[in-house]
């Protein structure tokens, strides 16, 4: 892992491969390691950058009340520190919400976007209040609350359960709470997505129990130039459940 310190905050990331810069942004409440299974399939085509979002993995917390833009700014700062003016972004779930915020804030720095098990919609009022309730529970009881609720819904392959459980339990409560609050406050990005002119790929498991595949189909319908890749029998973790096909879909960003 590499570490950069930006504005007194440590940001950890992995960098490997050569080619077009592609940032793989993990979802909630995980870290860069979820992407490791796809790395061997992508290193010939991409300069891969796998950050830990602020508050997750080895990266310092972003401060008391981050919004989704906070994480997008951190990605922009990371790219600048690496001397990259532009990059492709692939965002998994919450990482997709961050990538959409990046697209809104830094349109000229985005070469292409993949949403992996993600969606452009904002939270419903019920989902929002559920997130605040979960944040309160995590403050009281720690990461176990989220692990218990999420692990059974993450991967369609039960073999991933223990790995994901351990990964969530390693995350710090303040990072989890920050992520929950940021997701709750994120804006709807449907029209933003439809307005993007860069290459767009939507990758979604047909057995996703957290964000149903219908969300990706709807996004594809209102974004005609997006390519939708559906993965049969795959849940919310395509990069772990079907790494080769996920990597092949990511290569569509560069027409490979
Ligand atoms: C994620 O996997 O990043 C989150 O579950 C997404 C969400 O809760 O909306």
């Amino acid at each position: 892992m590499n570490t950069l310190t930006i504005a007194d905050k440590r940001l950890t990331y992995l960098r490997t491969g050569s080619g077009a810069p592609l940032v793989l942004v993990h979802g909630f409440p995980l870290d860069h390691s979820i992407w490791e299974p796809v790395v061997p399939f992508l290193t010939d085509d991409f300069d891969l950058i796998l950050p830990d979002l602020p508050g997750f993995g080895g990266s310092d917390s972003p401060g008391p009340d981050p919004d989704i833009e906070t994480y997008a700014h951190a990605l922009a700062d990371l790219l600048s520190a690496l001397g990259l003016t532009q990059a492709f972004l692939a965002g998994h779930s919450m990482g997709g919400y961050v990538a959409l915020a990046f697209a809104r804030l830094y349109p000229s720095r985005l070469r292409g976007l993949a949403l992996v098990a993600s969606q452009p919609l904002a939270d419903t009022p019920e989902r929002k209040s559920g997130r605040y309730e979960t944040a309160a529970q995590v403050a009281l009881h720690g990461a176990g609350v989220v692990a218990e609720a999420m692990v059974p819904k993450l991967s369609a392959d039960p073999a991933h359960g223990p790995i994901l459980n351990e990964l969530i339990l390693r995350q710090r409560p303040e990072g989890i709470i920050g992520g929950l609050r940021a997701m709750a406050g994120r804006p709807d990005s449907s029209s933003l997505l439809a307005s993007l002119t860069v290459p767009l790929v939507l990758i979604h498991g047909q057995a996703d129990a957290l964000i149903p595949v219908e969300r990706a189909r709807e996004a594809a319908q209102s974004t005609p130039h997006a390519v939708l890749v559906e993965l049969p029998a795959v849940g919310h973790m395509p990069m772990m459940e079907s790494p080769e096909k996920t990597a092949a879909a990511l290569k569509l960003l560069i027409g490979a």
Side-chain angles (χ1 to χ4, degrees):
M1 284 302 277
N2 303 293
T3 305
L4 265 174
T5 302
I6 302 167
D8 281 343
K9 304 250 186 229
R10 271 176 316 153
L11 193 92
T12 48
Y13 66 97
L14 196 72
R15 189 176 190 187
T16 181
S18 58
L22 170 63
V23 187
L24 301 175
V25 189
H26 65 81
F28 170 88
L30 308 166
D31 67 23
H32 77 281
S33 63
I34 60 163
W35 292 107
E36 281 168 0
V38 293
V39 164
F41 301 108
L42 295 172
T43 43
D44 286 347
D45 295 284
F46 292 105
D47 170 8
L48 294 173
I49 299 148
L50 284 63
D52 288 331
L53 288 174
F56 298 95
S59 291
D60 284 342
S61 290
D65 217 354
D67 49 31
I68 208 73
E69 288 77 19
T70 306
Y71 303 96
H73 288 308
L75 295 184
D77 289 344
L78 172 61
L79 290 178
S80 300
L82 299 178
L84 298 167
T85 46
Q86 284 196 322
F88 291 91
L89 257 64
H92 168 242
S93 206
M94 174 185 162
Y97 311 155
V98 174
L100 286 163
F102 183 97
R104 186 163 41 247
L105 292 165
Y106 301 101
S108 65
R109 304 192 68 176
L110 185 69
R111 281 178 68 179
L113 173 67
L115 295 180
V116 182
S118 194
Q119 57 165 342
L121 301 181
D123 276 354
T124 60
E126 297 72 38
R127 187 95 180 97
K128 229 185 255 254
S129 54
R131 298 223 202 253
Y132 291 125
E133 174 55 27
T134 306
Q137 292 297 318
V138 172
L140 285 175
H141 306 294
V145 174
V146 175
E148 206 175 302
M150 283 187 78
V151 169
K153 297 187 190 157
L154 281 172
S155 175
D157 180 353
H160 292 136
I163 302 164
L164 290 163
N165 191 53
E166 208 183 292
L167 181 54
I168 295 177
L169 293 179
R170 276 208 302 272
Q171 307 307 317
R172 282 154 290 152
E174 60 174 332
I176 297 178
I177 292 166
L180 284 164
R181 299 183 68 85
M183 286 193 286
R186 77 188 189 279
D188 186 283
S189 296
S190 306
S191 54
L192 170 85
L193 182 66
S195 74
L196 294 176
T197 52
V198 293
L200 295 175
V201 180
L202 309 176
I203 304 169
H204 220 100
Q206 288 179 343
D208 191 325
L210 271 172
I211 300 179
V213 68
E214 284 74 23
R215 295 293 89 75
R217 290 177 186 157
E218 290 156 11
Q221 248 174 12
S222 49
T223 312
H225 80 289
V227 180
L228 172 62
V229 178
E230 293 191 19
L231 301 171
V234 165
H236 193 60
M237 304 300 298
M239 72 299 283
M240 293 173 71
E241 297 177 58
S242 188
E244 195 165 357
K245 286 189 180 145
T246 300
L250 289 171
K251 287 184 203 175
L252 296 174
L253 285 170
I254 52 166

